Structure formats: C-alpha cells, structure tokens
Amino acid sequence: MAESQLQLVARRVRSFPDFPKPGILFRDISPLLKDPNAFQASIELLADHLKENHKTKIDYIAGLDARGFLFGPSLAQKLGIGFVLIRKRGKLPGPTVSTIYSLEYGQAELEIQKDAIEPGQKVVIVDDLMATGVQLRPGCCCHLPHQLETAHNHEIWTWTFCTWMPAAKCL
C-alpha cells in the first residue's frame, strides 16, 4: 500500500522549469493540496517514516514558513504531538532566535520564539521541499536549528520533506 500512496503523491507534484527565475526547477504542490486522498497519503507516509526511523519520543513538529505550515500541523496531529512555528523575521511576537541563510534564488531569515522549545526536547522540522540550494547536515539545516541545538540544548533530529530535488547538497 505504501508504494501506491507514494505514486499518488508523486503524481500530484508538478514541475515548472525556470520559475521563479531561470535555472530554478519549481515543484508545485498545489495539485497535492487539492486532492484530499493525496494529501492524506503524504501525511501518512511522513508519519510512517518518522515512526520507523525515530523509535523514541518526538516532542514537536516544527514547520517552516509558509509551506511547512501546510504539512506540519496535520503531521503533528497524526502523531499526537504539538506543532511549533518557524516564521519569517518579524512575524512572531516576543523574544526570538533568528538566522539568515542562503536559498537557491536569494537569502531568507527565519526565527522561532525562544520559549517555543524547552532544552532537551526532540524536534522534527517539516517543509514541503528539499530545494537545490539548501545545504544539509545530518540532523539539521541552515543555522537556526544549529543555534537551537548548541545554545539551547534542543535535539533537531531530522528534516522531513514531502518532495525533494536530487541536486540538494548533503554535508
């Protein structure tokens, strides 16, 4: 059954070359979101992946602004855990931790509320796409999760993506 779910999800992700600028291959998840069966399959596949690969307790799913917000809450609900926002700079109230990082088509800055995750809690970060310009290290990506791991004793276990691009660089 997992293979048919995977095929259903794959059929609902479109590719648009040279968007938003030349050299970028944009993966459009709009058809996936329009199809309730495909969306449910994507959440079930992600939840199954996390259950199989993380035998101990996950405390939170954290979602990246903005498309991580589409998958993160449903995934967190499926797993029976909470959801934490990682937003673009200036969108969260109160004290935050932030970082600037490079994308394949520019720069972005993300932040999380300082009290969103307690020391020692285990977090899985979810987004819709692992993009070509993102440099991954095992267990974390860009600098924000690394800052949380080192300065605040959080455990960022993994990044989970609905789709991926083969040219992503894994460090």
Side-chain angles (χ1 to χ4, degrees):
M1 183 159 146
E3 185 63 27
S4 64
Q5 286 182 315
L6 189 57
Q7 290 172 348
L8 176 61
V9 171
R11 285 193 310 266
R12 299 299 187 268
V13 178
R14 300 184 295 193
S15 297
F16 289 92
D18 299 319
F19 183 83
K21 69 179 201 178
I24 304 297
L25 179 62
F26 185 84
R27 303 286 186 168
D28 180 22
I29 60 168
S30 299
L32 175 70
L33 298 173
K34 284 177 24 179
D35 182 336
N37 294 325
F39 183 74
Q40 181 178 358
S42 71
I43 297 302
E44 288 174 6
L45 286 166
L46 291 170
D48 289 347
H49 169 76
L50 292 175
K51 288 175 188 175
E52 290 171 17
N53 292 286
H54 300 289
K55 302 298 183 192
T56 59
K57 183 178 183 248
I58 299 169
D59 294 300
Y60 293 107
I61 297 293
L64 291 178
D65 197 346
R67 291 186 286 179
F69 297 172
L70 301 173
F71 294 91
S74 295
L75 180 57
Q77 184 178 36
K78 177 83 174 168
L79 295 171
I81 59 177
F83 177 76
V84 175
L85 301 171
I86 299 176
R87 303 250 8 224
K88 294 174 184 160
R89 183 166 173 78
K91 301 292 184 180
L92 291 172
T96 61
V97 176
S98 67
T99 190
I100 297 172
Y101 65 100
S102 295
L103 296 167
E104 67 273 19
Y105 52 86
Q107 284 191 329
E109 187 168 0
L110 293 173
E111 61 185 11
I112 187 170
Q113 291 173 320
K114 282 187 178 181
D115 63 355
I117 303 168
E118 297 297 322
Q121 290 183 316
K122 295 160 185 66
V123 180
V124 171
I125 299 175
V126 66
D127 201 4
D128 70 318
L129 172 71
M130 178 168 50
T132 54
V134 176
Q135 303 233 349
L136 298 178
R137 303 191 297 273
C140 66
C141 178
C142 69
H143 300 288
L144 184 60
H146 181 68
Q147 287 175 340
L148 289 171
E149 286 179 317
T150 56
H152 303 286
N153 192 32
H154 299 114
E155 293 183 41
I156 309 297
W157 276 0
T158 190
W159 281 74
T160 299
F161 303 95
C162 180
T163 62
W164 66 284
M165 301 181 81
K169 302 174 188 114
C170 294
L171 302 177

